[in-house]
Structure formats: C-alpha cells, structure tokens
Amino acid sequence: MKKPLLLLVPALATLGLTQCQTTKPAVSAAAPATETAASPASQPKEYTYQTVEGDPLKARIYTLDNGLTVYLSDYKDAPRIQTYLAVRAGSKNDPSTATGLAHYLEHMVFKGTSRLGTQNWAAEKVELDKIEALYEQYRAQRNDPAARKRTYHQIDSISGVAAKYAVANEYDKVMGAIGAKGSNAYTSVEQTVYQEDIPSNQLEKWAAVQAERLGEMVPRLFHTELEAVYEEKNRGLDSDFRKEYEALSASLYQKHEYGTQTTIGTIDHLQNPSITEIKKYFGQYYVPNNVALCLSGDLDYDQTIRVIDQYFGKLQRKPVPAFTPAQEAPIIAPIVKQVLGPDAENVMLGFRLPGTNTREALVLRMIDKILSNGQAGLIDLDLNQKQVVLSAASFTDINNDYSSHILYATPRQGQKLEQVRDLLLAELTKVKKGDFPEWLIPAIINNEQLQRTKSYESNEARAGAFVAAFVARADWKDYLKQTDDFGTITREEVMRVANQYYGPGYALVYKRTGQDPNKVKVVKPAITPVPVNREVASDFYKQVTTKPTPALQPVFLDYKKDIQETKLASGVPVYYTHNEENNLFNLYYVLDLGTNNDPKLGLATDYLQYLGTGKYTAAQLQQEFYKLGCSFAVSSGQDRTYVSLSGLDSNFEPALQLFESLLHAPKPDAAALQNMVAGVLKARQDAKLNKGVILNQALVNYAKYGAKNPFTSQLSEKELKALKPEQLTSLIQKLPTYQHRVLYYGPRDMQNSADNLPEKVGVTPQHLANYNEVLSQAGIVRTLARLHQTPAKLTPPPAAKDFIEQPLTDRKVYWVDYNMVQAEILFLSKGPVYDKGLVPTTSLYNEYFGGSMGSIVFQELRESKALAYSASSRFASADKAGRSSYNLSYIGTQSDKLPEAMAGMNTLLNDMPAAEANLQIAKDAIRNSIATERITKSDILFSYERAKRLGLDYDLRRDVYEQTPNMSFQDLLKFQQARVKGQPQTILVIGSKDRLNFKELAKYGQVQQLTLKEIFGY
C-alpha cells in the first residue's frame, strides 16, 4: 500500500527547549462509599510528558514504562480522534529471502488474535499449527511441482476446517460497531502504520482492541488473504508507473533495500510464504518500544494517557534488531532503463541524496519547491506555463537512510523522450547556477507556512506529523525546529547542495508505449471457499462492544443559522461562513453553467492559466499570486463552473484585484492557444491509453447515455484547430456577467467593521501599507462591492444540452481490449429518479451490503472465496434532482478467475444473504458516524450547495439518523428485491482479449466489443 505524503509540521512561534511535565491525577467518576482504614489510599499514577514551547499542535509526548511512545494533540473540530499505530519497521526490514513479508504481515494483523476472531481457539490452533508446518514443507518443495500440488491440497483442505472456528472480519466488525471510519493500513520502506478515525467516546474500546492485536498476531484465513495479496501484486504488474518507479529505485539503490527489494515482494517469495518467518518478524518488531500511538482530535490529555496505559502498558518491552544501512557507491554516469507498457510515454529522472535528519534533506525540499511548487517554480513556468511539454513536475521521497528526488514529464506530440530529459536537466542547471528570482526562496517559505497552517485543520495531518517524527527517530523539538531551519536556507546553500548531488550520475527511466516482454502474473491457486460465520461472535468482541459508552448527540446543520446570506448591489447573492481558526480565506464565484451549455467553456477555463493581462505576462501573474500567498483556479464541469481564489487574508484585496483584472481583461495569446490545442489532442491520445479513464469515464458514460454523451461532447480536432483566441477570452470575460453567487469562508466580517475607509491615500509605501491594513478590516460585502466587477443586470446562462439517460432494459456486456494481467468489471443497473425518501434505506443498504471491509460483498468475494483484492457494490443516489440513481458493483480479478468472480457478484446481487449481526453493525456504524460527524468551515457552504441541487433546504443526515434504528432486514430485502434483484444489467469489462473468457461473458447478455473511437468519440 502506498505511503501517504506527510507534511512537515512548522512552529509558528519561536520554539523553546523541550519541557517535561506531569499529568494531573484523573478525577474519579464517583468516590467510594467507604474506605478501609488499614489500607492506604491508592495514589493515581502520574505521567511525565514533553511539550515544546510555541508548538502549534500543543502536543504532549509520553513514553510509557515499556517504551511505548504516545503523541497526543487536542483539536476539537469534531468529537472524533484520528489514530495511527505506527510500527517502526517496513519493507527494508524484510529478510532478503522473504520479501513482501512486512506488507503481508500488515494484512494478517487484521485477522485477530487468540481472543478476537475465533469461536474456539483451542480447536482452531491445532489446525493453524498444521497449516504453518505445511507451508514450510511447501516452500521446501520448490523443485517438485507434483509434491507442491499435493501439499497445497492439504493446506486448502485444512484451511477449510480451521475456518469453521474463525470469525471472519471480526476486527472490521468491531471497528464498524464503534463508528470508526477509514479503517486501513499501509506499509512503506521504513514503517507499517494502522489507522482508524474513531468517535471520541469510543477511545477505551479502540484501545482495548488495538492493544489486543499489538500483543498477538494469529495468521488465520491465511491462504485466502494470500490470494488477495496476489491480486494486489497483479494490480501492480498492471501499473506502468509502479514498474517505472521500481526500475528507478533499483538504479539508485543497488545495495540498499530501497532498491534491492520492493514492498509488495517478488512473485517467487509471495508464492512461497512462511508463516514461521511472519511470526518471527512480528515478535521482533511489533513490540511497544518500537511502536508509537499518534492521536489528534477531541481528547482529554490526562484521561487519554491513562486509558492507553491501562491497555498497552501490559505489553512487554523487547530488544529490537538493529538495522545497518548499506553504503551506496557514487553514481558516476546515467543509469538508463526502459519500461514498456500500455500507458502514455514519459520520462523519469532520479537523484540520490542523504536521509531525512540531514541538512541536505531540508535543502532538497527547498530545491524541489524551486523546481515545482504548482505556481511559480522553474518547471511550472518554463515547461508547463510555456507548454514546452505536456506536463512536468518533481517530487521527493525522503527516508531515513537516503532520499530520492524525482523529476517527471510527459512529452508533447512528436517530442522525443530524450528531448524531454534534456529540458528537465536544463531546469536543474538553473538551480545549480542560482538562476532563479531573489524573491522565490522567501515566497516558498511563506507558502509552505500557509500550506502547513491549512493542514492543521485536519487531524490526519496533525497525527501524521507525529508518525513522521517517530519514524525518523527525531525528537519532537528537533522535528518542529526543521521549520525554522527551512527558513534559514540561502541561495548559496541551494547552489552548493545542487552542485554536490545533482551531478552526471543519476537514474533515468524511459517509459515507452508497447508490450512488456517481461510481463508475468501470479498464478491462481485452487482455493475452496471458506465459511465466514457471520452470525457468531467471539467472547472478546461481546466484551468490548457491550462496554458502556457515554452517548454523543448529532449536530445537524441549520442552513439558515449556519450560513449568513446577503446580496451585493448588483443582485449577486453572497453566502458567508466565518473562519475563527486562522487567517486563511476561500472565495468562490459559482455559476450554473458548464460544458453542457457550451463545449468551449472547459477549453476557455483551461486557457486562462496561460494568459496574462496588459500589465503582467502569464508567468509574472503566477509569480505575483505566489508572492501574495494566494492562488486562483477556474474549472468547468458539465453544468457548473467554479471561479475560486484562496490564500492569506492579509493579502485578500491585492489578490482579488489581480484576479478580477485577469477575468475582465485576459490578453489573447495565439501561440498559447496553438500549444494548448496541440496539448489537448495529445492528452486525448494519452487518455485512450489509461484503463481508469476507459472504464470509469468512457465506458460508464457510453452505457448511461449512448454514443452521444457528456464525455464525448467536445470539440472535434477540426473545430479545435479553428478556434480563435478571442473566442475563448470572450467566454472568460462573460463569466462575471452571468447570474452567479459568491461563497466566502474566511476571517473577516460579513459587513464592514471599519466605518471610515478612506477613498484615496498617498502612494508612498507607508501610505499603501496603512491603507491595506485599513482595508483588511473591511467586511467582505464592502470589499466585493468595490472589487468584484459585474454589470448592473446579470444575464441568465445559455440553455444547456440535455443528454437523455438510456433505459438500460436489455442485458448487455460491453468490453474493451486492454493489455493487462487482471480484468476489471462493472455491473451497472439503472434505478429510480432521485427520491430523498429512499436515502435512509440506501445508506443502510450500502453499509450492510457493499460499503466496507465488513460488508457482505467484501466478506464473500475476498475473505471467503479469495476472488479479488478489491470488490464493492453501491446504490449511488443521483447528485441532482431529476436524475437517475444507479447500482454500481465493481470487482477487479485475475482474468482466469473471471467466471467465478462474475458468478459470485451476480449471485450476491440477486440473493442478498441475511445476517442480523452484520445489519446491527451497519446500523451502529451509521448512527455513530453521524453522531460524531461535524460539517464545519467551508464544507458548510458546499453542503448547502449539494442540498439545493437535490431540492432540499435541510440537512438530510437527520432523516438517515432518525430512521435507521427502526429499519429491519425485511426493509432492506424489500428495497433490494425491488431495485437491485433481477434488474437488467449492463456489464462493462476491460481486459486483454487473449485472457478474457467470452463464453462466460455471453451468459450475462449480448457481448459487444467497443472500440476506443466509439467510446471516446474521436
């Protein structure tokens, strides 16, 4: 699983020394009625912790007696807590003879313990011990296929016996029952991290379960989960980007595990697993002194640490194996590799630098932003803004032992990859020479602070910062100090590091379109489906879920109270929500028109990024916005256009003036249009090579609407080449003249707070600064009245083209040929026009049937039958009144499993299993989730926008919350039989024609191959 990008946490004030403090004793809920005189009063345990002066997260860092590190941050945005359980061991710690072990162990930790996930541990253990011994025997028979087949048959047979004692997905069930969200995990080179977003009143239940599975790992349902990992490997084999990145890493790290082994592991090692080695790894690394609990949310510091110590404090400290990183030799010349695959061509360059806790790694972050920051970097302006390549960017992969800097670009039509390589290297040369503006480094520092401030509104980012510090073995004080250190980086230091580490030796990968001659797949073993035992539960599960929990009440939006509304003099409605947390703003002009009204509108909004004004060139304009710590965007969908501006509120007025000047007077640029059109045509070609676009956009739209649909409704090549710059700039200039509304979330008041704003001041810098300070006190209404330029009377948007939804009354199978190991299948059936009365039922149906890892679909197709890595089903309500809902079911599987996978999904759709225990869990999950969900900040405005599109004037979650407890399985069954069972299906398939089973496909309807031209319209 992919490692998320974790933001570096800043200190917004001067950071002092680490402080050691002590918790206050917890207040008892009730005093004992009597005390025994002979027994001395029990003293509450005191906990010491560290804090850092000026820490914006106000974190407390504890270390329990057994070495467990606990990071806590109190952030009361909602009564929920984001939790990460971080183990400081990843794929670099895998034995070289058993790669992929850390990742596979990650999967097994979800299977439970000797108390969680079992009905009869004594009987189950006997069978599991047999399976472990058989796998060791199986590994030793690599050169004896017949013996391996016999052994695997035994494994499969005994696994069925063991499964009778197991309770599949019981961990997922207990997390669902307490209202957890985002239950998942990821393994990277340095760490394995388990994540849950829990209601704050369920902290003790969470702690009980997590301590249980950190203390013990039982490898139950092993061979079916192994098959899921096979599928994950096959998905990787179908990913050209993953193959490209692995090739790059192998060149950069020829001795270190970063390059000599992959997180997912080799096919040989996956097919020859060792439960014994997995247990050994767990025992070595999953110990409290090698683990951190990272929590941020609505928590009480003192109570939280006591609960954590109560459950985790019993775990025993153990020595952790030391890791000695391999020393890489210098790369003295380019190491060139080629990767072939069906996706679009690109080029990737990689450079190797020192690891995370070095000054060089900090400077690397600065170099990366100088090159690519999304607005004013060298690559942004020289390559993307000028449309020299189709797209280009850079990113970092900073790890403990080494860091990688990757430059990446896709070519324009007719452009050679070698030319693209040279363009990227030329931008690096500028960094080495210091050939970038003097203001860029200070602007990067300010914008990084802005982005970090924004990230503090997310508990995921706050807790994620703790994970990053722990994995890097960085003291929290030192980790925070990196922000101050980042602000001391100079041009001279950037040049020194760039010249030292970006020399003639680097890794270079050319990704070319073609058939991979080395393509392989993980062969499907014979697996007998195992029982999932839905209606039973372990004693541990019952003990945890019945523990009393203080109730939390939901808070629903009241749009009339939570949103202030007014109008500008021009009649433009303004919807306002106040930001009480920081000094950032978001401003949106929202128009109810899009590409269905005019296919040229999407092109016009894209064209804007390449245009300047009479005062600034396009590049200068981006630089000005970046200096102000602000950014703009204009995007157009089928029936909605968003014009947005965001950033530092202190620079709101100059940023809005700059933005309005661009909207009202964009300077036509014929060369930019010609390049953009060429880029659009190349991007269209590349889209036809992307299986995700083919399946989820092109095929789905074709099925819903036919050949003429919103996806294919675009200008032809001839029409594109005939466009004039003025046609597009005219569309941009018209945007403020159409009826629209303003959404504002920010710190300033709605109405004026400064009664006597001067109309004019002198032009000296001091006068200008004073004037801007006064303006910053103006309410948003007055500011918009002064700067938002609109005509006296707004015009309604032009009529939109209406695409008629197909009836979908015939059984059809559409398939597209694509060179891939897996096959991906979508079952599509049409439901009724949007009906708010169905939403509570469909919410419960989705949660019960196909919405999570504890759902019926996941249990049956992955846990029981091992047919897929990913399987889901959802009844998707329409997002606009008058549109139809659809039932969408997805399964990705090996092509040779297609018959079983399709039959399995189809059986579930037509004969939904009854499981009262699962139904109650689904109800609890929905109720707990809504009770602890808080829609805040700008999300309030967009919740109102979504409600209005559906014809609602209230928070629909109220209906779901109130009606869910009274629903029965019969209610779900009635809905399922009326809306899902037996409904005519259009089945969409993407896969290799050499691997697909067309005889099997024909069982589901008339089979028709669609060409890319048919579904893309070009």
Side-chain angles (χ1 to χ4, degrees):
M1 297 182 187
K2 187 178 179 183
K3 181 178 74 173
L5 298 177
L6 301 175
L7 296 171
L8 181 68
V9 175
L12 298 181
T14 303
L15 299 177
L17 297 175
T18 301
Q19 300 174 330
C20 289
Q21 302 182 24
T22 306
T23 63
K24 300 174 183 177
V27 179
S28 299
T34 59
E35 291 186 1
T36 303
S39 301
S42 147
Q43 293 298 318
K45 181 177 179 180
E46 293 188 346
Y47 297 87
T48 59
Y49 57 88
Q50 294 180 327
T51 62
V52 178
E53 184 180 350
D55 175 9
L57 301 188
K58 297 181 174 60
R60 292 187 184 182
I61 298 92
Y62 302 81
T63 304
L64 299 187
D65 294 342
N66 59 7
L68 180 74
T69 306
V70 182
Y71 298 81
L72 301 179
S73 176
D74 181 24
Y75 181 60
K76 300 188 184 302
D77 185 53
R80 300 192 69 87
I81 303 170
Q82 178 64 48
T83 73
Y84 291 117
L85 188 158
V87 183
R88 203 153 47 193
S91 57
K92 81 175 188 183
N93 305 101
D94 286 345
S96 60
T97 56
T99 59
L101 190 151
H103 171 250
Y104 191 62
L105 171 57
E106 172 214 310
H107 283 244
M108 296 315 301
V109 170
F110 284 86
K111 299 302 179 183
T113 67
S114 60
R115 298 199 299 162
L116 174 67
T118 187
Q119 304 175 66
N120 184 339
W121 170 241
E124 185 186 16
K125 184 178 186 304
V126 172
E127 307 304 325
L128 294 181
D129 288 345
K130 294 177 187 176
I131 293 169
E132 179 177 351
L134 283 169
Y135 266 111
E136 293 305 305
Q137 181 177 317
Y138 185 72
R139 292 183 86 206
Q141 296 169 334
R142 275 183 168 92
N143 300 320
D144 190 342
R148 280 172 66 85
K149 187 175 182 179
R150 289 192 298 272
T151 302
Y152 192 84
H153 178 73
Q154 288 181 276
I155 291 171
D156 182 62
S157 178
I158 297 173
S159 294
V161 176
K164 292 178 181 178
Y165 304 112
V167 185
N169 293 102
E170 192 164 50
Y171 172 82
D172 302 311
K173 289 179 180 179
V174 71
M175 287 296 108
I178 70 173
K181 298 179 181 177
S183 181
N184 211 333
Y186 68 87
T187 303
S188 188
V189 292
E190 304 284 358
Q191 73 264 38
T192 307
V193 181
Y194 301 85
Q195 60 192 58
E196 299 288 352
D197 173 3
I198 63 170
S200 56
N201 64 335
Q202 302 286 355
L203 176 70
E204 185 174 357
K205 294 179 182 178
W206 169 85
V209 175
Q210 302 305 324
E212 174 72 12
R213 68 175 186 158
L214 180 60
E216 182 184 26
M217 183 276 301
V218 171
R220 61 171 53 91
L221 302 174
F222 186 88
H223 80 319
T224 55
E225 191 63 31
L226 182 61
E227 180 69 0
V229 175
Y230 288 172
E231 291 291 355
E232 190 173 355
K233 176 68 173 181
N234 281 330
R235 292 169 79 91
L237 295 172
D238 282 334
S239 168
D240 286 355
F241 181 84
R242 176 174 285 191
K243 291 189 292 185
E244 188 176 1
Y245 195 76
E246 288 178 358
L248 188 89
S249 297
S251 295
L252 288 175
Y253 306 105
Q254 299 180 36
K255 297 179 181 178
H256 195 285
E257 286 80 358
Y258 293 167
T260 60
Q261 53 197 50
T262 65
T263 298
I264 194 71
T266 67
I267 290 177
D268 178 62
H269 292 164
L270 287 177
Q271 291 182 324
N272 294 280
S274 170
I275 294 176
T276 303
E277 285 290 337
I278 291 172
K279 285 182 173 180
K280 178 181 177 182
Y281 188 104
F282 182 87
Q284 288 178 319
Y285 295 106
Y286 281 61
V287 295
N289 46 304
N290 197 45
V291 171
L293 300 181
C294 306
L295 281 66
S296 177
D298 183 7
L299 55 82
D300 177 278
Y301 289 109
D302 297 336
Q303 291 179 0
T304 301
I305 192 61
R306 292 185 187 283
V307 168
I308 287 174
D309 191 23
Q310 176 186 347
Y311 289 96
F312 289 89
K314 303 170 186 176
L315 302 174
Q316 297 300 308
R317 175 195 292 266
K318 294 180 184 177
V320 179
F323 179 83
T324 304
Q327 298 302 304
E328 295 286 349
I331 302 174
I332 59 176
I335 302 173
V336 184
K337 293 184 178 179
Q338 178 173 275
V339 170
L340 293 174
D343 285 354
E345 295 190 341
N346 63 71
V347 64
M348 185 183 284
L349 289 80
F351 295 84
R352 190 178 68 218
L353 286 86
T356 184
N357 290 324
T358 63
R359 178 76 179 185
E360 289 85 351
L362 204 62
V363 178
L364 163 60
R365 290 182 53 242
M366 179 64 77
I367 292 173
D368 183 59
K369 294 300 178 183
I370 290 172
L371 286 169
S372 176
N373 54 55
Q375 284 182 262
L378 298 178
I379 287 176
D380 300 321
L381 299 180
D382 294 345
L383 302 187
N384 292 330
Q385 180 80 46
K386 295 178 181 178
Q387 303 184 84
V388 178
V389 297
L390 192 61
S391 65
S394 67
F395 62 93
T396 63
D397 188 7
I398 299 175
N399 293 300
N400 286 359
D401 305 325
Y402 293 100
S403 300
S404 304
H405 195 193
I406 296 91
L407 282 64
Y408 179 88
T410 55
R412 297 180 70 83
Q413 184 65 37
Q415 195 172 37
K416 294 182 178 180
L417 293 182
E418 290 78 8
Q419 293 174 304
V420 177
R421 172 205 62 196
D422 292 343
L423 289 168
L424 290 171
L425 290 173
E427 298 307 312
L428 268 180
T429 299
K430 292 180 182 179
V431 177
K432 294 179 185 180
K433 294 180 178 179
D435 186 11
F436 50 86
E438 195 71 40
W439 55 263
L440 185 55
I441 287 180
I444 288 170
I445 294 168
N446 290 334
N447 276 274
E448 285 289 280
Q449 178 174 316
L450 183 155
Q451 294 302 321
R452 288 188 293 265
T453 300
K454 179 69 176 174
S455 78
Y456 296 155
E457 298 176 0
S458 158
N459 278 316
E460 290 89 340
R462 297 163 74 97
F466 297 150
V467 173
F470 176 74
V471 172
R473 302 178 185 274
D475 185 89
W476 185 241
K477 171 177 65 69
D478 296 332
Y479 188 81
L480 290 173
K481 187 174 178 294
Q482 290 181 41
T483 299
D484 291 341
D485 293 343
F486 189 72
T488 67
I489 296 172
T490 63
R491 175 195 296 265
E492 290 70 28
E493 189 172 17
V494 166
M495 294 167 61
R496 178 187 63 78
V497 171
N499 280 286
Q500 181 176 354
Y501 292 99
Y502 296 82
Y506 54 87
L508 172 64
V509 180
Y510 293 121
K511 163 60 191 63
R512 303 188 189 276
T513 301
Q515 188 158 347
D516 185 354
N518 303 313
K519 193 159 193 175
V520 292
K521 70 171 183 176
V522 184
V523 178
K524 179 190 79 167
I527 289 182
T528 304
V530 298
V532 293
N533 304 320
R534 292 192 189 93
E535 293 294 351
V536 297
S538 67
D539 291 338
F540 181 82
Y541 174 91
K542 297 171 186 175
Q543 174 190 335
V544 170
T545 55
T546 57
K547 189 183 292 289
T549 301
L552 290 173
Q553 296 304 313
V555 176
F556 300 110
L557 291 178
D558 183 335
Y559 295 128
K560 292 181 179 178
K561 292 181 180 179
D562 295 325
I563 298 173
Q564 296 183 51
E565 181 180 353
T566 189
K567 287 187 177 181
L568 302 179
S570 59
V572 175
V574 178
Y575 299 94
Y576 167 96
T577 300
H578 190 242
N579 178 2
E580 299 178 349
E581 186 168 333
N582 54 44
N583 64 339
L584 304 181
F585 75 90
N586 297 102
L587 177 74
Y588 302 89
Y589 304 155
V590 185
L591 299 88
D592 291 321
L593 81 159
T595 53
N596 287 358
N597 303 80
D598 188 338
K600 295 190 293 293
L601 187 57
L603 294 164
T605 56
D606 288 344
Y607 186 43
L608 189 61
Q609 64 185 304
Y610 305 117
L611 302 182
T613 63
K615 184 176 180 180
Y616 297 107
T617 66
Q620 289 171 338
L621 200 64
Q622 292 288 352
Q623 291 173 332
E624 291 301 313
F625 276 111
Y626 197 68
K627 291 176 189 176
L628 293 170
C630 296
S631 61
F632 74 89
V634 183
S635 61
S636 182
Q638 294 176 19
D639 58 4
R640 177 113 7 137
T641 296
Y642 290 96
V643 181
S644 65
L645 181 70
S646 62
L648 290 170
D649 184 75
S650 56
N651 291 329
F652 178 73
E653 280 81 6
L656 184 56
Q657 281 182 308
L658 201 61
F659 190 34
E660 289 280 341
S661 69
L662 176 62
L663 289 176
H664 284 82
K667 188 174 181 180
D669 187 326
L673 177 58
Q674 184 178 4
N675 286 333
M676 188 185 81
V677 167
V680 168
L681 293 173
K682 177 61 165 58
R684 287 183 180 180
Q685 290 182 22
D686 291 350
K688 293 167 80 170
L689 302 175
N690 186 310
K691 64 185 176 71
V693 175
I694 294 170
L695 178 63
N696 299 311
Q697 296 183 50
L699 268 173
V700 168
N701 273 276
Y702 187 94
K704 286 183 176 181
Y705 299 98
K708 299 294 184 183
N709 60 64
F711 182 74
T712 59
S713 179
Q714 50 192 322
L715 299 185
S716 67
E717 181 175 348
K718 182 178 179 180
E719 290 171 322
L720 279 173
K721 290 181 176 178
L723 280 174
K724 303 299 182 186
E726 291 75 17
Q727 289 177 274
L728 299 186
T729 54
S730 175
L731 282 175
I732 294 167
Q733 290 171 302
K734 283 183 181 178
L735 289 178
T737 71
Y738 289 122
Q739 292 171 353
H740 62 279
R741 55 199 172 278
V742 175
L743 312 181
Y744 173 82
Y745 169 71
R748 61 184 60 207
D749 293 335
M750 186 173 184
Q751 302 295 339
N752 295 343
S753 58
D755 295 328
N756 300 308
L757 291 178
E759 293 300 323
K760 292 183 180 179
V761 295
V763 295
T764 66
Q766 184 60 47
H767 284 152
L768 186 59
N770 292 340
Y771 188 50
N772 284 338
E773 183 178 350
V774 173
L775 288 178
S776 68
Q777 302 171 29
I780 185 64
V781 172
R782 177 160 182 172
T783 303
L784 287 169
R786 184 168 55 85
L787 297 178
H788 182 39
Q789 304 172 40
T790 60
K793 185 176 181 181
L794 300 174
T795 58
K801 183 176 181 179
D802 189 21
F803 293 95
I804 306 300
E805 294 174 311
Q806 298 291 300
L808 301 188
T809 53
D810 298 325
R811 296 170 66 243
K812 292 185 178 179
V813 178
Y814 294 124
W815 72 280
V816 171
D817 183 27
Y818 192 89
N819 183 22
M820 57 193 289
V821 171
Q822 283 203 320
E824 296 190 40
I825 309 151
L826 271 177
F827 294 71
L828 179 70
S829 62
K830 189 177 181 181
V833 170
Y834 178 79
D835 177 0
K836 72 170 187 176
L838 283 177
V839 171
T841 304
T842 59
S843 298
L844 183 57
Y845 171 79
N846 288 336
E847 184 69 30
Y848 171 80
F849 184 67
S852 68
M853 287 195 288
S855 68
I856 298 296
V857 167
F858 191 87
Q859 283 186 343
E860 282 291 322
L861 299 183
R862 175 164 159 170
E863 294 295 304
S864 173
K865 299 177 180 176
L867 292 174
Y869 172 73
S870 179
S872 62
S873 182
R874 183 170 183 268
F875 193 90
S877 295
D879 64 353
K880 188 175 183 180
R883 291 182 180 171
S884 297
S885 302
Y886 288 87
N887 196 71
L888 280 162
S889 305
Y890 167 85
I891 188 164
T893 186
Q894 290 176 211
S895 296
D896 55 2
K897 289 187 193 174
L898 183 141
E900 300 100 314
M902 294 187 71
M905 179 66 81
N906 198 53
T907 298
L908 292 175
L909 291 171
N910 286 288
D911 187 13
M912 180 173 69
E916 287 295 336
N918 286 47
L919 180 61
Q920 188 58 50
I921 291 168
K923 288 183 179 183
D924 292 342
I926 289 175
R927 295 263 297 176
N928 282 326
S929 177
I930 293 177
T932 56
E933 181 183 28
R934 299 293 182 265
I935 298 176
T936 60
K937 307 181 177 75
S938 61
D939 290 341
I940 296 173
L941 298 169
F942 287 100
S943 173
Y944 186 44
E945 284 286 304
R946 288 190 295 271
K948 287 190 296 182
R949 279 174 67 84
L950 294 168
L952 303 173
D953 60 1
Y954 70 101
D955 188 345
L956 189 60
R957 294 179 303 153
R958 182 186 297 275
D959 292 354
V960 178
Y961 185 81
E962 292 175 350
Q963 294 180 31
T964 296
N966 300 321
M967 291 185 197
S968 66
F969 181 77
Q970 288 304 314
D971 294 323
L972 284 195
L973 189 61
K974 181 180 177 181
F975 165 80
Q976 190 265 349
Q977 290 179 338
R979 305 296 185 186
V980 180
K981 182 177 182 177
Q983 295 297 310
Q985 292 176 337
T986 298
I987 297 179
L988 312 176
V989 181
I990 182 171
S992 172
K993 65 181 179 182
D994 299 328
R995 295 188 174 101
L996 292 176
N997 186 330
F998 294 101
K999 184 177 180 180
E1000 191 67 28
L1001 292 178
K1003 294 178 181 179
Y1004 296 89
Q1006 180 184 350
V1007 179
Q1008 180 181 347
Q1009 180 180 6
L1010 293 175
T1011 65
L1012 293 178
K1013 184 175 182 180
E1014 286 177 298
I1015 61 174
F1016 280 85
Y1018 56 83

